[in-house]
Amino acid sequence: QLMESGGGVVQPGMSLRLSCEASGFSFSMHGMHWVRQAPGKGLEWLGVIAYGEDITYYADSMKARVTISRDNSKNTVYLQMTSLTDADTATYYCARDYFPVLGRIDSWGQGTPVTVSS
Amino acid sequence: QSALTQPASVSGSPGQSITISCTGTSSDIGSYNYVSWYQQFPGKAPKLIIFDVDNRPSGVSDRFSGSKSDNTASLAISGLQAEDEADYYCSSYTTSSTYVFGTGTTVTVL
């Protein structure tokens, strides 16, 4: 099970930090992704962190503003995003990869909505 | 990393078969067999229905099947049912060690 938290209303220009707590599987053995979906739009992959906490890959469009980290002792993965604009309004999902790094997203959290608005 | 290209919508009558295409490049679909398909209902999280081009997770109906040729993957739904009405997304691993989704297809059961 994956449970995201930290969503809500954020002012333009501010930063956000989302958390995703995992349970029911060996968290430290899997890559963990963040994916977002703007209202009425498709899925957008943001990035992934490998099982070992020190390898990350990001979408080119997000590289400058996004940091993904994880704490395997807490079974938790984090997403930090800076300089938010209204284009960042979306539901943010964390998702598990079947592999230790990436290749196949096989399960998803329920998502946490983020609204960027003044 | 451009999104994989899918038709915006596909429709069919109950009992019919439909196919959704997913076109990428030699940097994603054409390079690996790490193609997955997801089903998403309104307001819900996506659900994996096909992985590694043509494999179904346990519990997914065998009416769903996947295939790939060169840079294009396809999802087929046979014996279309009202419960299949949803959005469908393809995805692929890429040569840049990233992940890319398709543009999404809305399936309508007439």
Side-chain angles (χ1 to χ4, degrees), chain B residues 76-90:
Chain B
I77 308 176
S78 62
L80 197 63
Q81 300 179 3
E83 67 198 47
D84 300 329
E85 199 162 275
D87 293 327
Y88 293 82
Y89 293 91
C90 59

PDB file of all heavy atoms in Angstrom, chain B residues 76-90:
ATOM      1  N   ALA B  76      -5.081  -4.680 -27.106  1.00  0.00           N
ATOM      2  CA  ALA B  76      -6.332  -5.170 -27.671  1.00  0.00           C
ATOM      3  C   ALA B  76      -7.277  -5.548 -26.548  1.00  0.00           C
ATOM      4  O   ALA B  76      -6.851  -6.132 -25.538  1.00  0.00           O
ATOM      5  CB  ALA B  76      -6.079  -6.368 -28.575  1.00  0.00           C
ATOM      6  N   ILE B  77      -8.525  -5.185 -26.714  1.00  0.00           N
ATOM      7  CA  ILE B  77      -9.564  -5.587 -25.775  1.00  0.00           C
ATOM      8  C   ILE B  77     -10.605  -6.364 -26.581  1.00  0.00           C
ATOM      9  O   ILE B  77     -11.203  -5.828 -27.509  1.00  0.00           O
ATOM     10  CB  ILE B  77     -10.244  -4.394 -25.093  1.00  0.00           C
ATOM     11  CG1 ILE B  77      -9.198  -3.459 -24.474  1.00  0.00           C
ATOM     12  CG2 ILE B  77     -11.204  -4.884 -24.015  1.00  0.00           C
ATOM     13  CD1 ILE B  77      -9.797  -2.189 -23.862  1.00  0.00           C
ATOM     14  N   SER B  78     -10.778  -7.621 -26.229  1.00  0.00           N
ATOM     15  CA  SER B  78     -11.766  -8.444 -26.934  1.00  0.00           C
ATOM     16  C   SER B  78     -13.023  -8.570 -26.092  1.00  0.00           C
ATOM     17  O   SER B  78     -12.990  -8.376 -24.867  1.00  0.00           O
ATOM     18  CB  SER B  78     -11.184  -9.830 -27.223  1.00  0.00           C
ATOM     19  OG  SER B  78     -10.889 -10.490 -26.011  1.00  0.00           O
ATOM     20  N   GLY B  79     -14.147  -8.888 -26.735  1.00  0.00           N
ATOM     21  CA  GLY B  79     -15.399  -9.044 -26.003  1.00  0.00           C
ATOM     22  C   GLY B  79     -15.702  -7.825 -25.153  1.00  0.00           C
ATOM     23  O   GLY B  79     -15.995  -7.938 -23.969  1.00  0.00           O
ATOM     24  N   LEU B  80     -15.651  -6.662 -25.768  1.00  0.00           N
ATOM     25  CA  LEU B  80     -15.785  -5.391 -25.061  1.00  0.00           C
ATOM     26  C   LEU B  80     -17.006  -5.389 -24.136  1.00  0.00           C
ATOM     27  O   LEU B  80     -18.103  -5.826 -24.506  1.00  0.00           O
ATOM     28  CB  LEU B  80     -15.889  -4.264 -26.082  1.00  0.00           C
ATOM     29  CG  LEU B  80     -15.639  -2.841 -25.607  1.00  0.00           C
ATOM     30  CD1 LEU B  80     -14.215  -2.671 -25.091  1.00  0.00           C
ATOM     31  CD2 LEU B  80     -15.919  -1.863 -26.743  1.00  0.00           C
ATOM     32  N   GLN B  81     -16.788  -4.912 -22.915  1.00  0.00           N
ATOM     33  CA  GLN B  81     -17.858  -4.836 -21.929  1.00  0.00           C
ATOM     34  C   GLN B  81     -17.992  -3.411 -21.407  1.00  0.00           C
ATOM     35  O   GLN B  81     -17.033  -2.630 -21.453  1.00  0.00           O
ATOM     36  CB  GLN B  81     -17.579  -5.797 -20.765  1.00  0.00           C
ATOM     37  CG  GLN B  81     -17.474  -7.253 -21.170  1.00  0.00           C
ATOM     38  CD  GLN B  81     -17.167  -8.163 -19.999  1.00  0.00           C
ATOM     39  OE1 GLN B  81     -17.075  -7.739 -18.849  1.00  0.00           O
ATOM     40  NE2 GLN B  81     -17.031  -9.460 -20.289  1.00  0.00           N
ATOM     41  N   ALA B  82     -19.144  -3.095 -20.871  1.00  0.00           N
ATOM     42  CA  ALA B  82     -19.382  -1.752 -20.339  1.00  0.00           C
ATOM     43  C   ALA B  82     -18.357  -1.373 -19.286  1.00  0.00           C
ATOM     44  O   ALA B  82     -17.952  -0.212 -19.178  1.00  0.00           O
ATOM     45  CB  ALA B  82     -20.798  -1.666 -19.775  1.00  0.00           C
ATOM     46  N   GLU B  83     -17.904  -2.351 -18.524  1.00  0.00           N
ATOM     47  CA  GLU B  83     -16.934  -2.095 -17.450  1.00  0.00           C
ATOM     48  C   GLU B  83     -15.550  -1.745 -17.977  1.00  0.00           C
ATOM     49  O   GLU B  83     -14.672  -1.345 -17.204  1.00  0.00           O
ATOM     50  CB  GLU B  83     -16.825  -3.322 -16.551  1.00  0.00           C
ATOM     51  CG  GLU B  83     -16.217  -4.531 -17.225  1.00  0.00           C
ATOM     52  CD  GLU B  83     -16.510  -5.821 -16.486  1.00  0.00           C
ATOM     53  OE1 GLU B  83     -17.680  -6.018 -16.116  1.00  0.00           O
ATOM     54  OE2 GLU B  83     -15.567  -6.610 -16.291  1.00  0.00           O
ATOM     55  N   ASP B  84     -15.342  -1.898 -19.292  1.00  0.00           N
ATOM     56  CA  ASP B  84     -14.043  -1.556 -19.882  1.00  0.00           C
ATOM     57  C   ASP B  84     -13.948  -0.072 -20.208  1.00  0.00           C
ATOM     58  O   ASP B  84     -12.884   0.413 -20.610  1.00  0.00           O
ATOM     59  CB  ASP B  84     -13.803  -2.354 -21.165  1.00  0.00           C
ATOM     60  CG  ASP B  84     -13.797  -3.856 -20.928  1.00  0.00           C
ATOM     61  OD1 ASP B  84     -13.403  -4.279 -19.823  1.00  0.00           O
ATOM     62  OD2 ASP B  84     -14.186  -4.596 -21.850  1.00  0.00           O
ATOM     63  N   GLU B  85     -15.040   0.643 -20.061  1.00  0.00           N
ATOM     64  CA  GLU B  85     -15.048   2.074 -20.361  1.00  0.00           C
ATOM     65  C   GLU B  85     -14.167   2.803 -19.344  1.00  0.00           C
ATOM     66  O   GLU B  85     -14.482   2.863 -18.145  1.00  0.00           O
ATOM     67  CB  GLU B  85     -16.475   2.610 -20.323  1.00  0.00           C
ATOM     68  CG  GLU B  85     -16.652   3.933 -21.037  1.00  0.00           C
ATOM     69  CD  GLU B  85     -18.102   4.222 -21.369  1.00  0.00           C
ATOM     70  OE1 GLU B  85     -18.585   3.754 -22.419  1.00  0.00           O
ATOM     71  OE2 GLU B  85     -18.752   4.938 -20.564  1.00  0.00           O
ATOM     72  N   ALA B  86     -13.058   3.351 -19.842  1.00  0.00           N
ATOM     73  CA  ALA B  86     -12.038   3.950 -18.976  1.00  0.00           C
ATOM     74  C   ALA B  86     -11.001   4.631 -19.866  1.00  0.00           C
ATOM     75  O   ALA B  86     -11.100   4.595 -21.093  1.00  0.00           O
ATOM     76  CB  ALA B  86     -11.369   2.885 -18.115  1.00  0.00           C
ATOM     77  N   ASP B  87     -10.024   5.248 -19.221  1.00  0.00           N
ATOM     78  CA  ASP B  87      -8.866   5.778 -19.929  1.00  0.00           C
ATOM     79  C   ASP B  87      -7.742   4.755 -19.865  1.00  0.00           C
ATOM     80  O   ASP B  87      -7.548   4.098 -18.834  1.00  0.00           O
ATOM     81  CB  ASP B  87      -8.396   7.087 -19.301  1.00  0.00           C
ATOM     82  CG  ASP B  87      -9.397   8.214 -19.480  1.00  0.00           C
ATOM     83  OD1 ASP B  87     -10.095   8.240 -20.518  1.00  0.00           O
ATOM     84  OD2 ASP B  87      -9.474   9.078 -18.587  1.00  0.00           O
ATOM     85  N   TYR B  88      -6.988   4.664 -20.952  1.00  0.00           N
ATOM     86  CA  TYR B  88      -5.891   3.700 -21.031  1.00  0.00           C
ATOM     87  C   TYR B  88      -4.609   4.431 -21.430  1.00  0.00           C
ATOM     88  O   TYR B  88      -4.613   5.260 -22.337  1.00  0.00           O
ATOM     89  CB  TYR B  88      -6.211   2.604 -22.049  1.00  0.00           C
ATOM     90  CG  TYR B  88      -7.355   1.720 -21.602  1.00  0.00           C
ATOM     91  CD1 TYR B  88      -8.676   2.119 -21.802  1.00  0.00           C
ATOM     92  CD2 TYR B  88      -7.118   0.514 -20.949  1.00  0.00           C
ATOM     93  CE1 TYR B  88      -9.731   1.326 -21.363  1.00  0.00           C
ATOM     94  CE2 TYR B  88      -8.159  -0.280 -20.512  1.00  0.00           C
ATOM     95  CZ  TYR B  88      -9.465   0.135 -20.721  1.00  0.00           C
ATOM     96  OH  TYR B  88     -10.499  -0.651 -20.278  1.00  0.00           O
ATOM     97  N   TYR B  89      -3.534   4.103 -20.714  1.00  0.00           N
ATOM     98  CA  TYR B  89      -2.247   4.732 -20.972  1.00  0.00           C
ATOM     99  C   TYR B  89      -1.191   3.664 -21.202  1.00  0.00           C
ATOM    100  O   TYR B  89      -1.123   2.676 -20.459  1.00  0.00           O
ATOM    101  CB  TYR B  89      -1.807   5.577 -19.783  1.00  0.00           C
ATOM    102  CG  TYR B  89      -2.677   6.788 -19.530  1.00  0.00           C
ATOM    103  CD1 TYR B  89      -3.769   6.707 -18.675  1.00  0.00           C
ATOM    104  CD2 TYR B  89      -2.388   8.011 -20.134  1.00  0.00           C
ATOM    105  CE1 TYR B  89      -4.573   7.817 -18.437  1.00  0.00           C
ATOM    106  CE2 TYR B  89      -3.186   9.122 -19.898  1.00  0.00           C
ATOM    107  CZ  TYR B  89      -4.269   9.019 -19.061  1.00  0.00           C
ATOM    108  OH  TYR B  89      -5.055  10.117 -18.828  1.00  0.00           O
ATOM    109  N   CYS B  90      -0.352   3.876 -22.206  1.00  0.00           N
ATOM    110  CA  CYS B  90       0.815   3.029 -22.376  1.00  0.00           C
ATOM    111  C   CYS B  90       2.006   3.720 -21.711  1.00  0.00           C
ATOM    112  O   CYS B  90       1.945   4.902 -21.358  1.00  0.00           O
ATOM    113  CB  CYS B  90       1.112   2.761 -23.854  1.00  0.00           C
ATOM    114  SG  CYS B  90       1.419   4.256 -24.834  1.00  0.00           S
TER     115      CYS B  90
END
